[in-house]
Amino acid sequence: MRVTLKTRARAKPRIPIEAETIIPQNFLQKNDVRVYEGNKERKLEDIFFITIEGPAVSPDQVEIVLTGDTGVIKRVGEYMNAGRIIVEGDIGMHCGNFMSAGEIIIRGNADSWLGREMRGGLIRCEGNAAHYCGAGYRGEKRGMRGGTLEVLGNAGDFTAEYLCSGEVHIHGNCGDLPGVEMRGGVLTIGGDCTRPCGNMTGGTCRIFGAAHQFLPTFRRNGTEDVEYNGKRCRMAAFRGDVANRGKGTVLVRED
Amino acid sequence: MRVILNTGRTIRQGSYVERKTSADYMEEAASLNMNRMDMFELAVEDGNHIRVRSDHGEVVMKARAVEGLIRGQVFVCLGPYANHLVGPETHGTGMPDFKTTQVTLEPTTDPVPTIRELMERCGGVGYED
Amino acid sequence: MTDLLVKNAYVIDPLSGIRGEIMDIAIRDGKIVEDTGSGAPVIDAGGCLTFPGGIDSHSHVCGTKVNFGRYMSPEDMRAGRTARKGVMRVTSGYSVPTTFGNSYRYSTMGYTTVLEGAMAPLEARHTHEEFTATPHQDMLANTLFDGNWAIMEAVRDKDVKRAAAIVAWTLDAVKGFAIKLTNPGGTEAWGWGKDVHSVRDEVPYFGVTPAEIIETMIRANELLNLPHSVHIHCNNLGVPGNYQTTLDTIDLAPDLNRNRQSLYLTHVQFHSYGGSTWRDISSKSEDIARAVNSRPQVAIDMGQIMFGRTTTMTADGPMEWKLYMLHHNKWSNHDVELETGSGIIPVYYGRKSLVNCVMWAIGLELALLINDPWQCMLATDNPNGAPFVKYPEIIALLMSSRYRDIERSAIDPRTEHYVPLFAIDRELDWYDIAVMTRAAQAKALGIERIGKGHLAEGAEADIAIYPLKPDELDPAADYQQVMAGFAKTRYTIKRGRVVARNGEVVVEGANSTIWSRADVPPEYDLNRDAEFVKKFEQYYTVRMRNYPVQDIYLPRGYFISTEASL
Amino acid sequence: MKIEDVVCTFCGCLCDDLVVEVENNRVCSVENGCTLANEKFMRDHRLKNPIRRDGNGWKAVSYDEAIRETAEILLDADRPLLYGWSGTHGEAQSVGVHLAELIGGVIDNTSTVCHGPSIMAIQEVGHPGCTLGQVKNRADVIVYWGANPIDAHPRHMSRYTTYADGFFIENAFRDRKVIVADVRQTESSAIADEFLKIDRGGDYAALSALRAIVRGKGDLIPSRVAGVTREQLFRVAEICMKAKFGAIFFGLGLTMSPGKYKNIRNAIELTQELNRHTKFTISPMRGHWNVYGSNEVFTWITGYPYAIDFARGIAFYNPGETTSVDILMRGECDACLVVASDPGAHFPRACAEHLARIPTVQIDPHVNATTHLATLQIPVAVTGIDAEGTAYRMDGVPIRARKLFTGSYPNDQEILEKIFARVKEAKRS
């Protein structure tokens, strides 16, 4: 089944749409799917032109395609556990929060908290991701716990904060403090970043660009060779953060 | 000249904060506190006007020499003048970069706007007390 | 005049000696009366189990540290969110819900009176503000004296009467209900990052011992003729081998009051550990129960823990530090000048943790091994042992050994080597539960005199009707139904008005705050004591005149008045 | 008439020992107050009556009209923002939260541009703190980090720290060591025994280094961290570890600098580490007299201290998303109620521009920058002068602010209750 949701023009286009209901499992039956526009509950058809093609008997046979002015639509794919969502343009905050399985493809940019506390599945963002990409919930000790999150462009600050398990791969640059409080999993940064991995207690962060303002509390631990994009890279290895328990690994490209 | 703008509380700003229409408040809020050497380089003296520009806006303020600031840093107390320059980006934390705005300084003879004028520039309608 | 008639109720009212009779309850103007006028609205209880409104004699629901528990835990807030609906406001939180969340959840469980276990006097105004926002329950506040400088000086001078005068002044100033001692002496030592480790340890600088503080305060309490006894959280909470400290504390309690205990020991589960490290921790519930069984002058509450996530919070600052060193999670601490301390950390009690399983067993053992249910009240030290919404599960565990056996198979199999629980076959009955959840509390707190915890004529019409038919149920077998029944009343009636029905809150509520006022002779009035006033102004950071809680904070406050024997 | 033990409703110190003389509904003298208090009490100047924007000018309106119009604005909005609250009493804040809940709005307080990051840090690692009297009576080491109390909290040092004699500290000035960490010299740094002059944006690294030293991993520390020498870092760590009771106070120098809440988290974790050696506490220097009260009130009602979004009926919290600056920057809100604060002056310009675009109602005693952006302003009594109510000091101690005389203005609570009643009535019908 292919569900196409194309945004309608709205009187107040900057008010975000809260759309945690847009997940494959909700389109199996003729459900009354509703979303919030500010404090007003709306029927899905008030916000979108909806086209449904083909049948599906299980959520993994459902593909949702979002098009139009989708950059202010929040929480798409939250708690999704099967199926596929394709966003033709940009997507709003919290896309793929807590998702446990399935696939989200974003052709444009993603706003903050992409894949927050993700448990499994795949998110691929072809543009840039904003802040807290693959990060945790406020106050929660564990952030992303599984799955794969890939951003072909750049990501903002606090990328993969509290990363616990799973993989975050930013092909471009990250902002400030990527991998901060990281405790497991693998964070790969293709480009540059500042102050990586503050207070990390576990996991591995690989940086193939420059790591600016590198913190003084990481201990040099030899070199390692790593393969990236088909090339062998010589990496300076660090253990830290010794301000904390110092059990994490940061690899920064040397050559 | 490119410098970093820092903002914060001052006792004078606090004293007049509930009288924002007063000349006292304007005097304090529109003061650009600078290192003397930076002022020398810009060829300005205490009380001279300076156009301060950032990526987010521009505003004319009055130079004031102070001790305790290193070169390349200027300080303006919290208020509408400083905020004409500070960007709204919060890095997902709710808090803008009030302490670290890149600005450029350029001497000018243009007047320092009143707060009312600043707010009118933002689209407001001035109220005369 | 508002009347209400509850018909056909299966009533258990221990304080009135009613052990299960089908009867009608007549209500007028919020009180139980002999008869209503004709035409009074009728509630048909349909033979369902009917108790006086529940009373929680030790819970943490309002005040500085509770609110800090919320403040620091957005992850707990998202765990229990409900939307605004009808008269119900938005609620958030699981282990530390918002005030309205607490109030609604207690209401749907049939609880109508709750005692906040620890109020720092300096921050009492905060507790009272939150009481006002906890609309369904009548509230009382235990007032902390454990590290009170003036009290310790009186103890050092062996001046019981001065200690009594300080208590009287403070309770009046902060609208407190009773004396609470949390790790007496330990919270002052914590001002220097230290603790006391037995009732005979000296408090730094003040040179007094916890035992001296406890003995003095018990006598001061009785000199003031306060409704409740001294309410103690013993030293060494949560330390393996601490049962000895608990026994030592019990030994300090003289029998001074014919109507109630002289010492109330709270969350005793946390104080009944044998062994010397976390590796060899064992249950000493039998020793503690034996001591309680032989001393009518003490009463306790269980401090049951239940598996799952919760937040611990206590005035016992050093204990929370120790817990932080174990868990390495968040840690908050808040010392209160001249008075007490507090700490908060989140915890998870796991079925896979042997220590946690032993703790879980000890609480149940205490309830099953203490012969007289009037001496052992059901509580979790909410939210320390578990959020109070777990009470129905605890009731079911106490009523069904079969349920206990099922749980046994789900916990760490080594547990049975450390605890006697699975050898105990006692199963509590409906009457025991009624005692342990309301009647004993009313008696222990001394509030049966103001019509709490019973349904005799003239009593407050606080009533809980549970969807349970004792004649048709075998709690040992039907424990699931018991659990469901106690979780959601058919009706909760507060002061003659239905406040919750089948789990739905139906009114906004308007509670009362109950406090104690002991009248002392003028020579014991500390407002006129130059020495007291001088020290106050010198060392507190709040002026003495700005310290007392104004009447406006207790819009429906009422006090129990006593005449001090000074 | 002379009134003693008056509570000053200016900064988070909430001094309660002022002696104020009142004549003809004006304060004519203030004793014990700092400059800020004197200015506040003595030179109080109010907006006379409610005003409404009228084309390119303003006209006076009645309170009833203003209240009715405010209710209509809020009822019409799909995403209203209720901002401010730090300059009013708890009872009014409480009505504000219930109003936000009723209309499905976002409610936020001034923490958002002040100690919001401190709250976020506390939500990650907790907060080992204490009341100010504990510091006064015990502390032999005081650290001010990114804070300038002499300007922002003028009596903090004389009431609670450097100059305050306490029970165990009989001669404070001699017996206490003071450490100041800041990016610039201030009057506060001038009196410090140790001044850590930190490079802009270097607080996080400096705090990490101190943590490593306290953990015994100091061998790793390079000769300079963020402009501070290794020797000084070791010296400061040593002073802290040898303290009998240490107290860190931090200000906006940490909350507003790059990394924001992570700086504070690092400072808190340093404090926690120091507790393995001695007793240490840490406390934010809260700015407004009742900003902490707004956190407390919001928390017991909603579970969250600030930035609460009721749009979906439940309470949702996420700084960076539900915070005022972000909402205004993105142009999300379609109406704004400003109570007891001045976002026009204190938010970045882009936010002020959005306030001017939408209906903005301000409830405030004074003409301020937001006045010019607003559609409507309702003047009210000033808590602590002609209104009373509860305030929470920076350390959480609740104190009741006094009313010194009865003036002609209604207070915030009364105005908000009337708005609430109108909204509720309209929702019912």
Side-chain angles (χ1 to χ4, degrees), chain D residues 139-169:
Chain D
D140 55 348
V141 171
I142 304 286
V143 183
Y144 286 108
W145 197 303
N148 177 15
I150 290 181
D151 273 42
H153 301 86
R155 294 183 71 208
H156 195 266
M157 287 180 158
S158 59
R159 273 174 66 82
Y160 310 121
T161 66
T162 322
Y163 307 111
D165 294 342
F167 188 78
F168 295 104
I169 299 281

Side-chain angles (χ1 to χ4, degrees), chain D residues 350-366:
Chain D
C351 302
E353 286 171 352
H354 191 67
L355 285 174
R357 275 195 289 268
I358 57 174
T360 295
V361 178
Q362 167 156 257
I363 300 177
D364 199 280
H366 310 112

Side-chain angles (χ1 to χ4, degrees), chain C residues 302-324:
Chain C
M302 295 162 70
Q304 179 64 28
I305 75 147
M306 295 297 278
F307 300 112
R309 185 169 175 161
T310 192
T311 307
T312 68
M313 49 182 63
T314 167
D316 194 344
M319 194 286 295
E320 291 287 359
W321 165 252
K322 282 177 227 161
L323 210 52
Y324 165 67

Side-chain angles (χ1 to χ4, degrees), chain B residues 4 6-21 24-25 56-57 67-70 73 75 78-81 83-100 115-116 119-129, chain D residues 10 35-36 39-40 43 45 47 51 53 55-58 112-114 117 120 150-152 154 183-185 197 200 252-253 255-258 260-261 287 319-320 323 325-326 329 342 344-353 356 366-369 371-373:
Chain B
I4 297 291
N6 184 4
T7 73
R9 290 204 174 91
T10 67
I11 195 149
R12 280 188 291 253
Q13 169 261 340
S15 298
Y16 315 132
V17 74
E18 291 182 351
R19 294 186 292 119
K20 289 209 180 71
T21 49
D24 292 337
Y25 181 78
H56 310 282
E67 304 303 322
L69 276 176
I70 57 167
Q73 267 191 35
F75 180 90
L78 303 174
Y81 295 87
N83 278 321
H84 243 62
L85 303 164
V86 174
E89 164 65 34
T90 77
H91 308 266
T93 67
M95 172 68 83
D97 294 326
F98 286 117
K99 298 276 180 192
T100 45
I115 287 162
R116 177 187 164 159
M119 293 299 118
E120 284 174 344
R121 282 194 210 162
C122 292
V125 171
Y127 174 75
E128 199 62 59
D129 194 8
Chain D
F10 191 91
T35 314
L36 301 175
E39 287 284 336
K40 166 145 196 151
R43 300 180 67 178
H45 179 79
L47 175 63
I51 51 168
R53 206 200 276 196
N56 273 330
W58 290 85
T112 213
V113 289
C114 198
M120 292 163 70
I150 290 181
D151 273 42
V183 295
R184 62 183 179 118
Q185 282 173 31
K197 192 168 174 315
R200 182 177 56 84
L252 305 186
T255 66
M256 291 174 171
S257 292
K260 311 282 159 63
Y261 68 117
T323 28
V325 169
D326 299 272
M329 166 183 72
D342 187 6
H346 296 127
F347 280 2
R349 193 186 51 123
C351 302
E353 286 171 352
H366 310 112
V367 173
N368 58 23
T371 305
H372 311 295
L373 304 173

